[in-house]
Amino acid sequence: MTSRTGLSVPRVVARDELWAERYRALAGRVRARARQAAPVLAGFSACVDHVRRMGPERIAALAAQATAPGPAGEVAAEVIGRIRHGRGGEIAVPWPGGTDWVATLLGAPDRVQLGGTGPQAAWALAVLGAPGVVPLADRSAEQLAVLHPDVTLCTAAGTAPAGRLAGADAPTGNVPKQPHAVLEFAAGTPAPGLPGGLPRSSRIILRFMDDGIERDEWFAARSGELARTAAAGLLSGMNGLPEDGTGPADRAWLTGVARTWRDAGLPLIHLELAEFTSVRALRAGCDEYAPLADSVGMSLSELAALAGPSARTTPVAAAAHFATAYHLDRVCVHADGWVLAVHRGDPTEQRTALMTGSLLAAARAAGGAPAADPEPPPAAGYTEDRPADGPVGEGLRADCVPAPHLSRPAATIGLGDTFVGGLLLARSLHDRADRNGPYPKGPR
């Protein structure tokens, strides 16, 4: 069976228990050290997700709309096509009535939760007791209700846990947005024309307006101070900016914050890419924001969009080319069953970071939400069919580890964002260990 990566899907192998034991050992170290971590600054998008599990009835309702005129038919046809081919991602369509259409067609959401890469990464850290600071301009009751109460927000006087703030405590007034419709589907779900059911578990995000970024002026005013004690900063959510180049003030604001981080000595700035509505827009986003970063992360599908379909079978070469083109210290790529870093750093440190991100993501996949007591899922498989480690030239080397993989996860939304939280948490723990003693080495 073949996954979207073009490689074999993770399968049970003789070394599964060896990798499971390595992840269990790492889990113990993460739990013991998380509360000692230095903060992660996690921007710059936030939203509310309305999540619906796509069973046969909902799939049939969408399929019946696929030939309807206008945006309803376009969105339904695109969703059905992706579900049938096991492809997730994001669909952005400017349509003021889109949210109401989804609610009428598919009914009430199965759950309402936090959305946005930065806030979800901070959520994954908060449940472990690790600190994260999030820029948030939208402090409406709906947005605050889904934010973890221990995530830190900036205020006029300093900082405070989100759980202690009300919507009136907003830097520029409330700017509520439409919720995102998230459609989760599971491998094996019955569907017409597919005898074995759906081929893969994933999720599709429907966005019917440009959300913009969380332009939190209190966060900007404290960025230099925050960066002096933080371990890492996360740039994300730029696909919510208008792709026609409008909104220059927001773009300049975000660039200014990132440069403030750099000037204050923040050790690591990581840019996490996302799905744009076109490859051209994705490349433009890389050109605009990759020069601000030390490290860039992306899914294998995003790497293939940038480098061409051959990147699915030669991801190391494609990631190395990207790292060289933008003078990066690291490029991380996450696929269904493995995670890869092409980097200029220490191999043990990078493998530990990849495993930490994978551990937190796998625990969320098993439980449906970030876990306070992460463990590798007992049912997970560990693929041996993954890119090879070793030098790749230009001062770069590749390190790749298997990620604990579940073919039918309890949830698919937020797994990549949780991985990013773990990736940056590992850097935080490593930096703190430099001052307080050696951080345990990860497995080779």
Side-chain angles (χ1 to χ4, degrees):
M1 183 175 177
T2 302
S3 74
R4 67 183 172 89
T5 67
L7 302 176
S8 298
V9 297
R11 61 190 185 280
V12 177
V13 295
R15 300 189 68 207
D16 273 13
E17 183 52 37
L18 173 61
W19 277 106
E21 179 55 36
R22 289 168 168 173
Y23 272 102
R24 285 193 290 268
L26 176 64
R29 298 199 295 267
V30 169
R31 290 193 298 270
R33 294 172 177 265
R35 293 185 181 277
Q36 305 167 19
V40 170
L41 312 181
F44 282 86
S45 63
C47 61
V48 176
D49 284 341
H50 286 187
V51 184
R52 294 170 174 87
R53 295 289 285 185
M54 298 301 291
E57 291 184 359
R58 281 175 166 165
I59 293 174
L62 267 174
Q65 287 280 302
T67 57
E74 295 172 9
V75 171
E78 178 67 17
V79 170
I80 289 298
R82 291 193 184 201
I83 286 177
R84 290 178 61 84
H85 290 91
R87 187 162 71 92
E90 182 169 302
I91 300 172
V93 177
W95 182 17
T99 299
D100 291 339
W101 172 76
V102 172
T104 300
L105 184 67
L106 303 181
D110 297 309
R111 65 183 187 275
V112 176
Q113 67 181 39
L114 180 66
T117 296
Q120 291 208 68
W123 179 14
L125 301 184
V127 299
L128 294 168
V133 187
V134 171
L136 190 68
D138 176 6
R139 301 193 186 182
S140 61
E142 293 79 8
Q143 186 68 69
L144 288 175
V146 295
L147 197 66
H148 191 283
D150 293 335
V151 168
T152 299
L153 300 179
C154 293
T155 69
T159 59
R164 297 183 187 175
L165 300 177
D169 301 311
T172 56
N174 291 334
V175 284
K177 303 173 287 291
Q178 287 188 17
H180 291 185
V182 180
L183 312 180
E184 288 192 319
F185 50 95
T189 301
L194 295 175
L198 300 183
R200 178 174 172 265
S201 298
S202 190
R203 86 290 181 272
I204 295 171
I205 301 169
L206 300 181
R207 178 164 57 89
F208 298 111
M209 63 179 291
D210 288 324
D211 293 332
I213 58 171
E214 293 298 312
R215 189 171 168 179
D216 181 344
E217 299 296 352
W218 289 340
F219 181 89
R222 284 172 175 75
S223 280
E225 171 191 346
L226 293 168
R228 284 192 284 273
T229 58
L234 172 61
L235 299 175
S236 66
M238 281 68 84
N239 61 331
L241 290 167
E243 293 182 3
D244 59 6
T246 58
D250 286 344
R251 297 171 188 273
W253 181 89
L254 191 150
T255 299
V257 171
R259 288 175 176 163
T260 298
W261 288 352
R262 178 74 68 207
D263 292 344
L266 186 65
L268 173 68
I269 298 177
H270 178 82
L271 168 65
E272 187 67 20
L273 299 181
E275 184 167 351
F276 288 73
T277 57
S278 67
V279 174
R280 178 180 178 182
L282 175 60
R283 288 174 175 158
C286 292
D287 290 344
E288 187 166 6
Y289 299 109
L292 302 172
D294 310 293
S295 169
V296 172
M298 66 190 80
S299 67
L300 184 57
S301 59
E302 288 156 1
L303 180 64
L306 290 166
S310 64
R312 293 185 179 276
T313 52
T314 59
V316 170
H321 178 78
F322 188 92
T324 301
Y326 290 104
H327 309 288
L328 297 165
D329 292 332
R330 179 178 68 186
V331 172
C332 293
V333 181
H334 42 91
D336 282 352
W338 51 260
V339 286
L340 164 72
V342 173
H343 62 93
R344 304 181 192 277
D346 175 70
T348 298
E349 179 186 344
Q350 297 302 326
R351 284 192 293 268
T352 299
L354 294 172
M355 289 183 65
T356 304
S358 298
L359 171 69
L360 300 194
R364 180 168 183 173
D373 189 19
E375 287 284 344
Y382 299 85
T383 184
E384 288 189 319
D385 190 359
R386 62 183 188 270
D389 298 349
V392 294
E394 301 291 334
L396 295 164
R397 67 166 281 127
D399 283 285
C400 184
V401 300
H405 180 80
L406 295 171
S407 61
R408 290 181 62 87
T412 53
I413 185 68
L415 300 188
D417 303 333
T418 302
F419 170 80
V420 174
L423 187 77
L424 300 183
L425 173 64
R427 175 56 184 257
S428 176
L429 295 174
H430 178 82
D431 284 354
R432 187 59 54 95
D434 285 344
R435 295 187 286 272
N436 298 326
Y439 183 64
K441 294 183 181 293
R444 291 188 177 276

